[in-house]
Amino acid sequence: MSSTASPIVEPTPTLTRLAPDVYAYLQPDGGWCVSNAGVLLGEDAVTLIDATATERRARLLAEHIAALTWAPVRTLVVTHRHGDHHYGARTVAPDAVVVAHEKARADIIGDGLNLPGIWPDVAWGEVAPAVPTLTYADRLTLYAGALRVELWHPGPAHTTGDTLVWIPEHRVLFTGDVTFSEVTPLCLMGSIEGSLEVLGQLAALDPAVVVSGHGPLAGPEVFEANAAYLRLVQELAADGLAAGLTPLETATRADLGRFKTWLDAERLVANLHRAYAEAQGAERGAELDNYTILADVAAFNGGRIPTCFA
């Protein structure tokens, strides 16, 4: 008697209308490199917020956009340096002006095509970093047709070059990875202290809808959920330092409570490295030894790099 394993059914991305000409492109389940995007429709052009990780996923995004409009993507806002948010640009937005924070441009150039080195088994396809051609320092206003789109750099948070995208007319906020929805946050290349400050500022905006970089749609409650997790990381780091434990040792002994059901719990190790550094006086966003930290993440994950479903 023989049996065959059931094929893995990949969750289908969805394009959800949030307001007139404003759409969220959601890729479940939101784990490593499975990122969300935003689609803003103008009369004769599309403004895209992030561009997915792989050629295949970018083609799916392009198909969803084509079902809405004949107009091409003319502007691409890249929310931060990580390639899962922009590698697909050459497929879905090959002729677009790429907009990002000035620090993100420098980091994207410096990072190069680094994710395939971490996850060589992913079918990346024909991808490349989307190097910004238009940058800003603090704030920048774009228009998608008549729709006002405000870009805001919050300071070190998820990374040191994040962009928040706020549509005041409809109170819709695209946060990039400054927030995660039902997915474990990651501050390895940014700041836990900075993230907590920014989350408080975002709560004051009182958005109607929050589109996080990963995970389902949410409301303002996502800010406190992320903040509660990050405060727990700080508490664990303080206890670990007092006990003379390494971040990995602290992580293996930690009780995540209600956060243990969030995807990618192994990010705790990376976040503890950042929290340790800040508790010991490091500047927000100071460079850490990311490859050594990734080895700790793998050790926490049973000796394996976390699975990426991009």
Side-chain angles (χ1 to χ4, degrees):
M1 180 176 179
S2 63
S3 63
T4 57
S6 299
I8 297 174
V9 178
E10 182 179 279
T12 303
T14 58
L15 192 60
T16 301
R17 184 179 185 271
L18 305 179
D21 299 327
V22 180
Y23 294 80
Y25 185 72
L26 305 175
Q27 294 197 106
D29 55 4
W32 290 99
C33 296
V34 183
S35 59
N36 296 327
V39 179
L40 312 178
L41 303 183
E43 292 88 349
D44 57 3
V46 172
T47 297
L48 183 62
I49 304 166
D50 287 338
T52 75
T54 67
E55 180 182 355
R56 177 182 65 85
R57 287 187 176 274
R59 289 194 186 284
L60 283 174
L61 173 56
E63 290 170 7
H64 278 82
I65 295 172
L68 286 178
T69 178
W70 57 268
V73 177
R74 294 299 188 198
T75 304
L76 169 62
V77 178
V78 174
T79 59
H80 62 285
R81 69 192 287 180
H82 295 145
D84 59 313
H85 291 258
H86 60 83
Y87 279 1
R90 65 162 48 178
T91 295
V92 68
D95 301 315
V97 173
V98 181
V99 184
H101 185 257
E102 59 190 13
K103 185 68 169 65
R105 173 184 161 84
D107 288 334
I108 287 169
I109 293 171
D111 289 345
L113 197 65
N114 61 350
L115 294 183
I118 300 173
W119 289 288
D121 295 333
V122 168
W124 296 97
E126 293 296 322
V127 295
V131 177
T133 52
L134 174 63
T135 64
Y136 73 101
D138 182 25
R139 292 177 183 263
L140 180 67
T141 299
L142 302 176
Y143 284 87
L147 187 68
R148 182 183 176 93
V149 183
E150 298 179 0
L151 308 188
W152 170 29
H153 171 58
H158 173 63
T159 70
T160 58
D162 296 314
T163 289
L164 299 160
V165 183
W166 173 235
I167 302 173
E169 179 180 350
H170 302 300
R171 294 175 47 234
V172 174
L173 179 67
F174 293 86
T175 65
D177 286 359
V178 172
T179 67
F180 290 74
S181 179
E182 301 176 18
V183 179
T184 304
L186 181 64
C187 294
L188 174 59
M189 297 182 181
S191 171
I192 291 186
E193 294 172 349
S195 291
L196 285 167
E197 288 185 6
V198 172
L199 290 168
Q201 295 166 15
L202 295 181
L205 282 178
D206 191 31
V209 182
V210 180
V211 186
S212 297
H214 298 256
L217 294 175
E221 72 281 351
V222 75
F223 305 136
E224 177 52 32
N226 277 247
Y229 170 84
L230 294 176
R231 288 194 294 268
L232 174 60
V233 172
Q234 288 182 321
E235 293 168 5
L236 292 170
D239 291 344
L241 281 167
L245 301 176
T246 67
L248 177 57
E249 289 168 339
T250 297
T252 58
R253 302 181 188 195
D255 179 4
L256 284 173
R258 67 187 177 101
F259 305 114
K260 65 185 176 185
T261 61
W262 284 4
L263 283 176
D264 304 330
E266 65 276 356
R267 291 176 179 167
L268 173 63
V269 185
N271 291 325
L272 282 169
H273 273 277
R274 176 58 61 184
Y276 269 53
E278 291 185 338
Q280 294 172 312
E283 293 185 3
R284 296 178 182 183
E287 291 288 336
L288 302 181
D289 186 348
N290 293 329
Y291 286 98
T292 295
I293 293 169
L294 186 60
D296 274 1
V297 171
F300 182 84
N301 194 48
R304 304 178 305 277
I305 294 295
T307 301
C308 172
F309 292 102

